[in-house]
Amino acid sequence: SYQQQLIRAHRLDGQVALFNLANRMEVYYLKNHTYAKATLATGKNHDISSQDLSAERQYRLHIVNSTDTAYLLSATPLNHQA
């Protein structure tokens, strides 16, 4: 149904956003040799992106945890269809 297609499209938006955020984390690591200080949409020097929303604004992105050698990212749906 149309509703199911919308849900799939929204989920794809979240998946792509997480993939892009992970890529930005890797670029940050190459420059800084750590993930630990990476931030997201804080307006500070260590921001890896000025936006914390997916391209279609269906998900809010988070750096849940980051250490020198690892990180955990999440995407939280902003409405019930995401």
Side-chain angles (χ1 to χ4, degrees):
S1 75
Y2 178 73
Q3 190 69 12
Q4 291 297 323
Q5 291 297 337
L6 278 179
I7 291 170
R8 285 188 196 120
H10 292 171
R11 288 183 181 155
L12 181 59
D13 178 52
Q15 292 170 346
V16 169
L18 283 172
F19 178 80
N20 289 336
L21 187 58
N23 189 42
R24 288 176 182 263
M25 289 293 284
E26 295 305 323
V27 170
Y28 183 89
Y29 184 85
L30 287 173
K31 292 178 182 177
N32 299 285
H33 308 290
T34 184
Y35 300 112
K37 295 181 182 179
T39 56
L40 183 60
T42 65
K44 298 185 179 175
N45 291 341
H46 292 282
D47 274 356
I48 59 171
S49 177
S50 61
Q51 286 287 330
D52 65 347
L53 297 175
S54 63
E56 299 297 323
R57 300 185 178 280
Q58 296 295 321
Y59 288 85
R60 183 166 311 281
L61 305 172
H62 307 275
I63 301 172
V64 177
N65 190 23
S66 59
T67 67
D68 286 340
T69 59
Y71 58 86
L72 177 63
L73 307 175
S74 72
T76 305
L78 295 178
N79 63 51
H80 69 280
Q81 294 180 356

